[in-house]
Amino acid sequence: MEGLKLVHASLEEAQNHVWHKTEGLKSSSLIVRRGQNFRLTLSFNGPYMSNKHELVLKIQLDGLYCDVPITSSKNTSQSQWSAYIQQGRLDPSTPHNTSVCVYSPPTAIVGVYQLHLLVKSSYGSYNCKIGKFTLLCNPWCAADSVYLPEENQREEYVRNDFGLLYQGTAKNIIFRPWGFDLYESGILEICMMVLQVSNEHKKNWKSDYVNRSDPVYISRVVSAMINNNDDCGVLQGKWSEDYSSGLNPSEWTDSGSILKQWAKSGFSPVKYGQCWVFAAVMCTVLRVLGIPTRVVTNYNSAHDTNGNLVIEEYYTEKGEKLTQNRDSIWNFHVWVECWMKRGDLGAGFDGWQVLDPTPQERSGGVYRCGPAPVKAIRECQINMDYDVPFIYAEVNADVRVCIVRQKQVLSCTTETDRVGVLICTKSLGSNRPEDITSTYKNKKALRPSLRTASPRSVKGLSLELNHIKAPVVGENICFSVTVTNHSSVLKTVKEYVNAQAKSYDRSPSDTFWEADNIIQLAPHKSEVLQHQIPYSQYSALGNEQLINLAAVVIDLATQERVLASEEFNITSPIINIQVADEDTIIAHRPQVAMVTFTNPFSVAVKGMLTVAGSGLLEDKVHINVALLQPRETMNTMVQFTPKIVGVKMLHASLSLDINCIVIRGFRTITARPA
């Protein structure tokens, strides 16, 4: 008589994916989350009898494995793998089928497992392969260290596959739509390969697997792997103007294109990335791995190279900003926050943790940053792992502004509130930015010994810059300079005003516009000077550039000097996307969107329109836009079909042929069941 043998095994992918909130993730095998049962159906050549047959699952991760006996009763231990026969599920029409529940502990290793079945009976042993499954972290499991208690947070920070990245300045936030592409074909496998090709895995695969039970370790590995500075990481950073051997970072619109290009190339770095690209790709990888993640923008982000928490800025007598040291302030810097428990730290530091994959400084000898508890940054716990002092300076450093002549300092003032002026992320379930500055900054917690700069001195003159109206591309920039004489004597003062172009991450370039005036100021009176920068003088800057505007007034009698400066961006036009009858969009039914753009420039333009949308379009749509005359409107229809029920984003970018200008727009689409 033949012994019991397996005829067929079903991993019940469809039902397990619903239970484990992994539906939509693309894979040829089962995808489940740890700390939760998943079900198998085993079909044998005869009836399984517990008194005659012994069933054992072998769960294997490369060279590591554990044997898990399949019992007749549910194992109550939550700390180890277990499996049991699910009673009451016998189908009379399939008497030889056995339903098995497999449980993974909430501290199980994240990875791709092979599953084998060993059948023992009096006739001998029989071993066969059942299949493979991918095991992810589980924010729905209270015992998992990435557990997130609110369902709307889990939907936003784990399952949402689109988002908005914030750039520009705190006074004029630019919304950049981004596709995280969690559910695109191949993305899950690529995200798992990020771990497999890391230096940690290459050095000691066994140690790497063991440590992969901890999201602190996983996030640290991913932070290093997103940049290529020390390994075969995903992206190569570049902050110069020559991107001819790759793609300008501003042209990326989604993570999927980058990750697929990296994998297809055999893990050669994709060219090129800057902070928002690094952060957005890291967000994709960590969300796929099951770690709650959100993208965060810090406005006026300090890079303090000497650790004194003071950033020095130098200006000439005419208000031209100089580059004289390694310290810098980026107009914005983008990183990610991940939600996790910090068992490696003292109590009270669970929750959001800062991780920054943009290569700036080494951490443990490797270009990576974090995870640093946001609570530790707020409470000035600068001796805490990982990299808290560096991030603390990014949001809290003072700025010492000096006017110099021939390397001699003529005057200085200190600004204590410019750095980290606004820290924000996408709001839950909406497209508005959420201000999270208070989670990072608590002025009462600052140690006085860290504030080394002198306070602002009182002067006989004061100076104020004001925009008459918000700067809009294609229009003149109109602003005023208000000079006030606080003394009781008449003053003759000279005003210098200048504008310099700058990128968000470095000091300004040469002055492209300037003006000067001599004025008489009566005692205790103010004078308002009006200025205009013609569009023709800034049109060549492109819409990714910012402007450093500075004014200096000099008391010609006393040589007293006062400086005021502001860095601002210019509001760009947008692409408008409209969908008729938005309330009746049904999954799997074709829909049409109208993409509209009106040329605001004084010259004719043409370019390339790209429309994308994960879960809406199979591939990106590229359309050549013919010559548009000034004030002429382009209307283009794009057909899309929602693949699944839920909220998705349709986003468009128009790369114009003048001055590297890129225009963007987006529309969220809610697909309902039929």
Side-chain angles (χ1 to χ4, degrees):
M1 181 179 292
E2 187 180 16
L4 187 71
K5 289 190 177 182
L6 186 70
V7 176
H8 176 71
S10 171
L11 298 184
E12 305 288 357
E13 284 93 344
Q15 186 60 66
N16 281 322
H17 288 169
V18 172
W19 288 341
H20 287 253
K21 308 288 186 180
T22 57
E23 68 272 33
L25 292 174
K26 298 291 194 304
S27 176
S28 58
S29 63
L30 178 65
I31 312 160
V32 291
R33 300 189 188 276
R34 63 188 190 178
Q36 185 176 340
N37 291 329
F38 62 92
R39 196 175 75 205
L40 314 173
T41 300
L42 306 177
S43 300
F44 295 104
N45 61 346
Y48 160 74
M49 292 178 284
S50 59
N51 61 339
K52 292 186 177 182
H53 306 115
E54 180 183 355
L55 304 179
V56 178
L57 288 176
K58 182 177 182 180
I59 300 171
Q60 186 171 358
L61 185 63
D62 283 352
L64 303 177
Y65 69 91
C66 64
D67 289 333
V68 180
I70 300 177
T71 64
S72 57
S73 61
K74 184 177 180 180
N75 189 342
T76 58
S77 173
Q78 302 294 301
S79 62
Q80 60 187 14
W81 288 87
S82 61
Y84 64 94
I85 304 292
Q86 192 169 12
Q87 303 297 331
R89 291 193 57 85
L90 293 177
D91 185 344
S93 64
T94 54
H96 298 166
N97 284 4
T98 301
S99 182
V100 176
C101 276
V102 182
Y103 171 79
S104 64
T107 56
I109 296 167
V110 171
V112 181
Y113 291 78
Q114 300 292 333
L115 193 58
H116 298 259
L117 177 68
L118 176 64
V119 182
K120 297 179 181 179
S121 68
S122 57
Y123 296 99
S125 298
Y126 171 76
N127 195 332
C128 63
K129 181 178 178 181
I130 294 178
K132 68 177 183 178
F133 64 93
T134 299
L135 188 66
L136 307 174
C137 293
N138 192 351
W140 284 264
C141 173
D144 195 314
S145 56
V146 300
Y147 172 66
L148 200 56
E150 300 295 331
E151 178 62 20
N152 61 342
Q153 293 179 328
R154 294 189 290 252
E155 287 297 317
E156 180 71 57
Y157 302 135
V158 183
R159 304 189 77 189
N160 193 3
D161 69 340
F162 67 85
L164 293 172
L165 315 180
Y166 301 116
Q167 299 180 343
T169 60
K171 291 182 179 179
N172 186 14
I173 296 175
I174 292 176
F175 295 61
R176 179 186 286 269
W178 191 271
F180 293 120
D181 294 342
L182 312 181
Y183 307 112
E184 292 297 299
S185 178
I187 294 300
L188 172 66
E189 284 79 5
I190 296 170
C191 292
M192 300 306 297
M193 287 307 300
V194 168
L195 302 177
Q196 292 297 105
V197 302
S198 70
N199 282 351
E200 284 82 353
H201 193 77
K202 292 174 181 176
K203 289 173 187 174
N204 188 330
W205 65 268
K206 187 177 293 186
S207 173
D208 175 61
Y209 276 137
V210 171
N211 288 326
R212 268 196 226 170
S213 63
D214 184 3
V216 173
Y217 173 83
I218 293 173
S219 65
R220 201 151 165 78
V221 170
V222 174
S223 178
M225 277 298 298
I226 297 301
N227 69 75
N228 77 313
N229 286 49
D230 309 288
D231 43 40
C232 57
V234 176
L235 280 158
Q236 181 174 328
K238 192 175 181 66
W239 283 266
S240 68
E241 300 303 320
D242 181 13
Y243 304 107
S244 56
S245 58
L247 199 63
N248 186 319
S250 294
E251 295 186 41
W252 296 114
T253 60
D254 61 274
S255 301
S257 301
I258 295 168
L259 289 167
K260 289 178 181 180
Q261 182 176 326
W262 176 69
K264 188 177 180 180
S265 70
F267 312 120
S268 295
V270 176
K271 302 176 181 179
Y272 293 100
Q274 291 182 11
C275 65
W276 69 90
V277 186
F278 287 110
V281 173
M282 186 171 185
C283 182
T284 293
V285 175
L286 292 177
R287 283 187 182 180
V288 167
L289 296 178
I291 300 175
T293 308
R294 61 188 187 184
V295 180
V296 171
T297 299
N298 176 38
Y299 285 98
N300 295 344
S301 187
H303 187 171
D304 181 23
T305 59
N306 57 15
N308 69 348
L309 290 173
V310 178
I311 307 296
E312 292 85 9
E313 291 186 342
Y314 297 96
Y315 286 81
T316 69
E317 291 181 275
K318 294 184 177 182
E320 294 173 308
K321 194 172 184 181
L322 303 172
T323 304
Q324 292 198 354
N325 64 349
R326 292 182 59 214
D327 286 356
S328 61
I329 298 177
W330 292 17
N331 293 89
F332 64 87
H333 181 45
V334 185
W335 57 62
V336 302
E337 288 179 0
C338 296
W339 182 275
M340 63 184 72
K341 293 178 182 176
R342 290 301 301 270
D344 56 322
L345 302 177
F349 295 100
D350 297 342
W352 290 114
Q353 316 284 320
V354 175
L355 285 137
D356 189 351
T358 300
Q360 295 184 87
E361 300 287 342
R362 285 187 169 90
S363 172
V366 177
Y367 278 102
R368 58 188 169 189
C369 183
V374 173
K375 289 181 181 177
I377 298 164
R378 188 174 191 271
E379 295 174 10
C380 194
Q381 300 289 326
I382 59 176
N383 296 318
M384 188 167 287
D385 284 341
Y386 291 95
D387 310 305
V388 172
F390 183 78
I391 300 163
Y392 180 89
E394 286 186 294
V395 301
N396 279 307
D398 287 341
V399 184
R400 192 174 186 218
V401 182
C402 302
I403 300 175
V404 297
R405 179 176 62 199
Q406 297 177 348
K407 298 185 179 180
Q408 288 191 339
V409 176
L410 302 177
S411 67
C412 278
T413 56
T414 299
E415 301 177 22
T416 60
D417 55 0
R418 194 205 313 178
V419 169
V421 65
L422 172 65
I423 305 169
C424 65
T425 188
K426 179 182 176 295
S427 294
L428 281 171
S430 85
N431 295 323
R432 297 187 305 273
E434 177 187 356
D435 184 349
I436 58 172
T437 312
S438 62
T439 65
Y440 281 82
K441 299 175 69 111
N442 177 9
K443 294 296 184 182
K444 294 180 180 179
L446 300 183
R447 296 204 298 261
S449 60
L450 296 178
R451 295 300 187 187
T452 58
S454 60
R456 183 185 298 271
S457 59
V458 177
K459 296 181 180 294
L461 291 171
S462 67
L463 186 60
E464 186 178 350
L465 279 172
N466 286 295
H467 287 283
I468 296 171
K469 63 176 181 177
V472 177
V473 70
E475 299 179 3
N476 296 342
I477 298 171
C478 302
F479 67 96
S480 66
V481 176
T482 303
V483 188
T484 302
N485 178 4
H486 297 285
S487 73
S488 57
V489 298
L490 178 72
K491 286 182 179 290
T492 302
V493 301
K494 185 161 188 178
E495 175 216 32
Y496 293 101
V497 194
N498 81 88
Q500 297 167 274
K502 77 179 299 288
S503 295
Y504 75 97
D505 60 308
R506 54 184 178 267
S507 295
S509 56
D510 294 338
T511 296
F512 69 85
W513 174 89
E514 60 186 344
D516 60 79
N517 290 287
I518 294 180
I519 57 174
Q520 300 288 326
L521 275 177
H524 304 292
K525 294 294 183 181
S526 297
E527 185 81 19
V528 179
L529 305 170
Q530 308 284 349
H531 294 283
Q532 278 195 5
I533 304 176
Y535 171 63
S536 60
Q537 290 196 249
Y538 75 84
S539 60
L541 301 183
N543 66 335
E544 299 296 334
Q545 294 274 3
L546 297 104
I547 292 175
N548 187 87
L549 183 66
V552 171
V553 293
I554 305 172
D555 183 336
L556 296 180
T558 66
Q559 293 298 296
E560 178 187 16
R561 294 168 174 82
V562 185
L563 179 144
S565 66
E566 180 188 2
E567 293 179 349
F568 64 91
N569 54 313
I570 302 169
T571 299
S572 295
I574 61 170
I575 295 173
N576 187 267
I577 302 175
Q578 294 291 336
V579 179
D581 300 322
E582 286 187 298
D583 293 335
T584 61
I585 295 175
I586 306 298
H588 308 295
R589 291 186 186 174
Q591 309 285 339
V592 174
M594 180 65 72
V595 181
T596 304
F597 169 70
T598 300
N599 177 14
F601 305 103
S602 58
V603 296
V605 297
K606 60 182 179 179
M608 175 65 72
L609 175 69
T610 301
V611 183
S614 179
L616 299 172
L617 294 168
E618 202 65 45
D619 296 299
K620 293 179 182 178
V621 176
H622 301 283
I623 301 169
N624 279 310
V625 176
L627 202 64
L628 278 175
Q629 297 300 322
R631 310 303 169 188
E632 185 180 358
T633 298
M634 168 206 78
N635 292 296
T636 301
M637 289 193 300
V638 176
Q639 190 175 80
F640 66 94
T641 303
K643 298 177 185 177
I644 57 176
V645 171
V647 182
K648 299 295 177 184
M649 176 184 282
L650 198 64
H651 51 102
S653 61
L654 175 59
S655 297
L656 298 179
D657 62 342
I658 58 169
N659 304 321
C660 301
I661 290 177
V662 181
I663 313 298
R664 297 181 176 85
F666 69 92
R667 170 73 63 178
T668 51
I669 307 292
T670 302
R672 293 171 170 79

